[in-house]
Amino acid sequence: MPAMEPSAVPEPSPLPERVALRRHFLMCRPEHFAVTYAINPWMDPAAGADAGRAVAQWEALRAAYLALGHEVSLIDPVEGLPDMVFAANGALVVGGRVYGARFAFPERYAEGPAYARWLRDNGFTDVLEPQHTNEGEGDFLTLDDVILAGTGFRTDIAAHQEAQEFLGRPVVTLRLVDPRFYHLDTALFPLGGRDVAYYPGAFSPGSRAVLERLFPDAVVAGERDAAVLGLNAVCDGRNVVVNAEATGLIGALAERGYTPVPVDLSELRKAGGGPKCCTLELRPAP
């Protein structure tokens, strides 16, 4: 018999080229950061937090953005608002239009007007003061063609409809069911505008099915990485600024051709925040 040809080993598919897009972020230095009340499971007033260490970690996050070529604007912190560092909650900015925040808890209520005032003063004149409770980019995450919107703990479903009417973008509702992941941005983040990474255990069965249908190639994170707020990350299309402790997620992102940029925000995590919580994206008009 003739010798059999050795089986051909298929070449691995090349990774898609990831392209970084320059972003404009708004941040707030945590000069007044403290854990003096508990409005989510991460917060323990008895344990407190080290404000100086929080500032140093925040400065490193800001430096990482600048090193990647992004623009960072700053809003002045307000004494008495220790969570104002979590700029993502202050608004949703899409196409130069601002859908303002209306916080669920009285401890944070004044943050909404403070962020709306800064945005008006800095050229964003089309600002909607919302009628319904919502916490900005904490529960609204913008992709190229759709906005994903969380509900279950902080943001009313009626706010999803209000945002869709104002912004003219389709909004997809996702229900959160685990109180550790009280905002959508603690359980999911966009990758490259058309895909996402997420932790399935944070969502209701129906919402998991929606995510599986919309994003069949998503990066699916495990509980260990989710439990260190690894999914509270920021991607510019190629680089992913992510909590350093989320080692499994970091490896999965690298395998997909992304460049992880690990940061340490362990002090801010004592209030339930990570890189994305500290970062409000200012998307200009087309």
Side-chain angles (χ1 to χ4, degrees):
M1 293 180 62
M4 295 183 64
E5 292 289 332
S7 299
V9 178
E11 292 290 330
S13 300
L15 291 172
E17 182 180 359
R18 307 296 183 187
V19 178
L21 299 176
R22 189 171 187 264
R23 307 295 175 91
H24 184 188
F25 298 136
L26 179 61
M27 300 180 70
C28 182
R29 195 171 189 267
E31 293 178 9
H32 307 297
F33 178 69
V35 179
T36 58
Y37 48 78
I39 58 174
N40 67 54
W42 302 86
M43 305 179 84
D44 180 2
D50 184 330
R53 188 163 183 248
V55 169
Q57 292 178 349
W58 178 91
E59 290 285 6
L61 174 64
R62 176 172 174 264
Y65 288 142
L66 294 173
L68 292 171
H70 301 304
E71 180 181 357
V72 177
S73 295
L74 300 178
I75 182 173
D76 291 335
V78 176
E79 189 172 0
L81 297 177
D83 283 342
M84 194 170 168
V85 59
F86 301 130
N89 304 154
L92 170 65
V93 184
V94 178
R97 310 188 83 188
V98 177
Y99 179 56
R102 186 183 183 95
F103 283 83
F105 288 94
E107 292 89 342
R108 301 194 65 185
Y109 196 85
E111 294 178 41
Y115 276 95
R117 184 164 50 252
W118 186 95
L119 289 161
R120 286 192 183 95
D121 290 346
N122 285 271
F124 294 87
T125 57
D126 196 355
V127 180
L128 178 67
E129 295 185 10
Q131 297 299 307
H132 301 287
T133 300
N134 82 88
E135 299 197 350
E137 281 196 322
D139 273 324
F140 288 100
L141 297 176
T142 303
L143 286 77
D144 285 354
D145 303 315
V146 69
I147 297 173
L148 302 180
T151 191
F153 297 104
R154 298 292 185 86
T155 294
D156 293 342
I157 290 180
H160 299 181
Q161 299 165 348
E162 187 177 39
Q164 179 172 271
E165 288 300 312
F166 176 63
L167 298 171
R169 298 283 189 98
V171 173
V172 175
T173 293
L174 300 169
R175 180 167 293 278
L176 299 161
V177 296
D178 185 329
R180 294 176 298 172
F181 308 107
Y182 57 95
H183 278 149
L184 182 61
D185 73 353
T186 64
L188 180 152
F189 69 93
L191 284 168
R194 293 185 180 273
D195 213 345
V196 301
Y198 71 97
Y199 169 54
F203 297 93
S204 69
S207 294
R208 288 200 301 271
V210 168
L211 289 168
E212 290 166 5
R213 180 180 292 272
L214 288 178
F215 307 108
D217 298 321
V219 175
V220 177
E223 183 173 9
R224 180 175 296 179
D225 292 322
V228 292
L229 291 182
L231 290 153
N232 194 248
V234 176
C235 179
D236 63 12
R238 181 178 66 207
N239 305 292
V240 183
V241 180
V242 56
N243 278 329
E245 299 94 333
T247 54
L249 177 60
I250 286 171
L253 291 167
E255 288 175 1
R256 297 286 190 97
Y258 295 97
T259 302
V261 181
V263 294
D264 177 12
L265 289 186
S266 54
E267 204 64 27
L268 290 167
R269 190 160 62 242
K270 294 177 180 179
K276 175 56 191 169
C277 285
C278 296
T279 311
L280 173 61
E281 184 168 350
L282 304 179
R283 299 175 184 85

